[in-house]
């Protein structure tokens, strides 16, 4: 495949579109303005609520999708909450996590049985711990950004995924979460992967019957802190 | 894949007699259809969102070249390699070339209808690659050497018993007497087997539900998480998608995502919606080193100045087939090519030619359910009618159908003659059928009377009754 052939293929597709559309000048500005405008469309009413309403909606939506939702009154309490969830599920207290500064700032020594291994996940890991940049109440959806802080494999490889989100980062609609991402990464810029997660993995491919736990985590525990 | 759309009629006969298929399809009304209805009821804005979604796509299609260029600029800046493919053959060869450059041996694949459209697996296998489908439904279909029979539920035509038998035949390294009598056991077995493939794969191929011009991203939507493992664990991530998938901004895609899962599976939102932008960054601890996007045209651009432009709004949710009485009776394989159901009846003739697919736009009861549930408000029955007209204009159809249509159109344009003919016809039929009130057989109506009686008309025509009604004659 030479470069010239690739250029010719590109021209062929774009040329065919232009011929059919008969586009002329002036439209480019309209398109650029449309992209830059980032105008919101109709946003469902259900996400217009106060903080406690949003928290209740967020938790209810996640539970409807077979996730566990627990609250941790403070950061200091997080180790206890995580340990008690894992003990309740009969799981080891050995976790995999990235370099997330906020997670690292938590005093995990309050639960000496917990041990955390840093870095991307490997197949042997049983429990992954990640920190969501935002949470969307509308459908009970967590927003995770890839990077050394929270590698994608930590969310997807282990059988059990624990995702922590700060109550302050809980928003109503997806649009508000995207605004947070734009603030953090700059307009029009994204992390390599942005994962929207709304439950443990599932499938209905066998006879149309719903099974929780397909290729991704079988269990999802969401901890809301604060 | 082999095209058998021309054999639609015999495909249908076989499908109607296939008891396993009939059993598998019987779950549709209580499954996907009921779930969509429930999801729609939970979101009062659902109907209004359909209008917004339609407008977003209409705007984008009217400026398609510019949005694709804007997307390409952003994607390239983030490190993506963008490949344009005018034809299916171009796309296949581009993907094969990427695999060659990566010295790949094992390729994992997330669900992608565009890859079915270009018959990618067969092409890669012919080059000596092992290709493994990782979406469970696609895997079930792959080990049977079949093709998907539904665009979001590829194995919807299979019963649990068939799947169990396939697993016993395929996974011979596992104990013969292992229990596989529940879906959860089958899913666990597939999970173990595919996990190894994810980890060993050299190239991971996914589709894309959308491309976002604002950020240069591609998006996949899954419930199983297989797409994420496919694209995160292999060294090379290849997205195989088509030019109609681009939308301007995150706000635009959000609106379409609000419609997609609800229309498809009746979920408020799919479990995983993943935005990918470029390859892994320098500081990243995981993710693919290369990220390629193959943009397929394959006849789509040629629809832009035709009435079929509307079909390019399709977000491949599958609602039209779930609600289609024809699909519900015969399943997806009868359609004979990649896209089944009403969307297939409209898009297949455009992609593989009307001559090959001319039966499909005729396989409709015109009940209108597909259009009424389509989140993108695509006028599917109207577009099928458009194909029928084109077929007729091109001299298609059987001689008898053409003569009958000609005779009808002659009469329909002459109202007096039409009334006279229908009065005479009805009077004759009603006299002939008076004793039984119905016909067991009737010349020219064998297609109907072979399976059921045709009721004899009761004497007067609709126009006569209507005229009497207007005059106030009591019935
Ligand atoms: S035509 Fe409409 S209903 Fe059918 S798959 Fe496409 S978007 Fe869904």
């Amino acid at each position: 495949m030479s470069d010239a052939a690739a250029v010719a293929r590109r021209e062929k597709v774009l040329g065919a579109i232009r011929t059919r559309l008969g586009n002329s000048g002036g439209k480019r500005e309209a398109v650029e303005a449309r992209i830059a405008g980032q105008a919101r469309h109709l946003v469902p009413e259900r996400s217009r609520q106060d903080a406690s309403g949003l928290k209740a909606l967020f938790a209810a939506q996640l539970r409807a999708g077979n996730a566990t939702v627990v609250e941790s009154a403070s950061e200091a309490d997080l180790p206890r909450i995580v340990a008690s969830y894992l003990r309740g599920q009969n799981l080891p207290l050995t976790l995999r996590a990235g370099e997330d500064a906020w997670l690292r700032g938590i005093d995990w020594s309050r639960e000496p049985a917990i041990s955390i291994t840093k870095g991307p996940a490997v197949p042997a890991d049983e429990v992954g711990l990640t920190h969501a940049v935002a949470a969307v109440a509308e459908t009970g959806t967590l927003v995770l950004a890839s990077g050394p802080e929270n590698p994608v494999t930590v969310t997807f490889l282990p059988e059990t995924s624990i995702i922590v989100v700060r109550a302050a980062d809980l928003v109503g609609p997806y649009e508000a979460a995207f605004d947070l991402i734009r603030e953090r990464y700059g307009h029009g810029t994204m992390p390599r992967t942005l994962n929207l997660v709304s439950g443990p993995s599932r499938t209905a491919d066998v006879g149309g019957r719903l099974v929780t736990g397909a290729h991704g985590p079988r269990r999802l525990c969401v901890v809301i802190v604060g | 894949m082999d095209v058998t759309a021309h054999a639609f009629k015999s495909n249908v006969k076989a499908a109607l007699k296939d008891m396993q298929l009939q059993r598998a399809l019987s779950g549709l009304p209580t499954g996907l259809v009921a779930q969509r209805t429930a999801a729609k009821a939970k979101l009062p804005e659902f109907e209004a969102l359909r209008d917004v979604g339609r407008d977003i796509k209409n705007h984008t299609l009217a400026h398609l070249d510019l949005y694709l260029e804007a997307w390409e600029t952003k994607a390239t800046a983030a490190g993506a390699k963008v490949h344009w493919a005018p034809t299916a053959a171009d796309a296949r060869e581009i993907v094969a070339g990427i695999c060659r450059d990566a010295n790949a041996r094992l390729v994992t694949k997330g669900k992608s209808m565009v890859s079915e459209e270009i018959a990618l697996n067969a092409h890669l296998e012919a080059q000596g690659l092992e290709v493994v489908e990782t979406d469970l439904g696609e895997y079930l279909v792959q080990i049977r050497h079949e093709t998907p029979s539904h665009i979001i539920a590829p194995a919807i035509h299979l019963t649990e018993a068939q799947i169990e038998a396939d697993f016993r035949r395929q996974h011979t390294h596992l104990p013969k007497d292992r229990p596989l009598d529940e879906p959860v056991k089958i899913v666990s077995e597939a999970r173990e087997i595919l996990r190894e493939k994810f980890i060993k794969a050299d190239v991971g191929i996914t589709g894309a539900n959308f491309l976002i011009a604002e950020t240069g991203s591609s998006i996949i939507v899954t419930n199983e998480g297989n797409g994420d493992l496919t694209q995160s664990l292999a060294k090379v991530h290849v997205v195989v998608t088509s030019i109609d998938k681009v939308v301007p901004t995150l706000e635009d895609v959000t609106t379409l995502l609000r419609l997609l899962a609800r229309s498809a599976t009746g979920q408020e939102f799919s479990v995983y919606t993943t935005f990918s932008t470029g390859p892994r960054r320098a500081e990243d601890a995981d993710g693919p080193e290369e990220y390629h996007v193959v943009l397929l045209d394959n006849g789509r651009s040629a629809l832009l100045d035709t009435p079929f432009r509307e079909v390019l709004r399709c977000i491949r949710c599958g609602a039209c087939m779930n609600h289609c009485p024809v699909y519900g009776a015969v399943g997806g394989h009868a359609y004979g090519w990649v896209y089944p159901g009403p969307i297939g009846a409209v898009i297949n003739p455009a992609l593989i030619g009307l001559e090959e697919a001319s039966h499909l736009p005729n396989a409709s009861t015109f009940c209108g359910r597909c259009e009424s549930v389509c989140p993108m408000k695509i006028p599917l029955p109207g577009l099928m009618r458009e194909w029928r007209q084109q077929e007729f204009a091109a001299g298609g159809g059987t001689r008898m159908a053409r003569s009958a249509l000609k005779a009808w159109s002659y009469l329909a344009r002459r109202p007096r003659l039409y009334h006279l003919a229908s009065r005479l016809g009805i009077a004759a039929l009603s006299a002939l059928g008076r004793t039984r009130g119905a016909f067991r057989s009737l010349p020219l109506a064998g297609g109907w009377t072979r399976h059921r009686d045709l009721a004899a008309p009761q004497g007067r025509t609709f126009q006569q009754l209507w005229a009497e009604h207007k005059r106030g004659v009591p019935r």
Side-chain angles (χ1 to χ4, degrees), chain B residues 370-403:
Chain B
C370 52
E371 179 172 1
S372 75
V373 298
C374 173
M376 303 313 293
K377 294 204 158 178
I378 300 169
L380 295 156
L383 294 174
M384 283 182 233
R385 218 171 273 128
E386 178 72 28
W387 278 128
R388 290 185 183 191
Q389 274 170 20
Q390 293 198 10
E391 184 197 8
F392 190 78
T398 62
R399 195 132 50 98
M400 185 159 107
R402 293 184 67 80
S403 326

Side-chain angles (χ1 to χ4, degrees), chain A residues 155-200:
Chain A
T155 308
F156 282 91
L157 262 184
E159 283 210 352
T160 303
S161 166
I162 301 178
I163 304 182
V164 185
V165 64
R166 284 183 284 202
D169 297 326
L170 176 60
V171 297
Y174 311 111
E175 284 86 343
F178 289 135
D179 282 345
L180 291 178
I181 296 293
R182 285 177 179 135
E183 253 169 52
R184 178 174 299 206
Y185 291 88
H187 281 235
T189 312
M190 291 277 258
R192 193 287 139 170
T193 313
L194 194 74
N195 291 112
L196 273 54
V197 177
S198 308

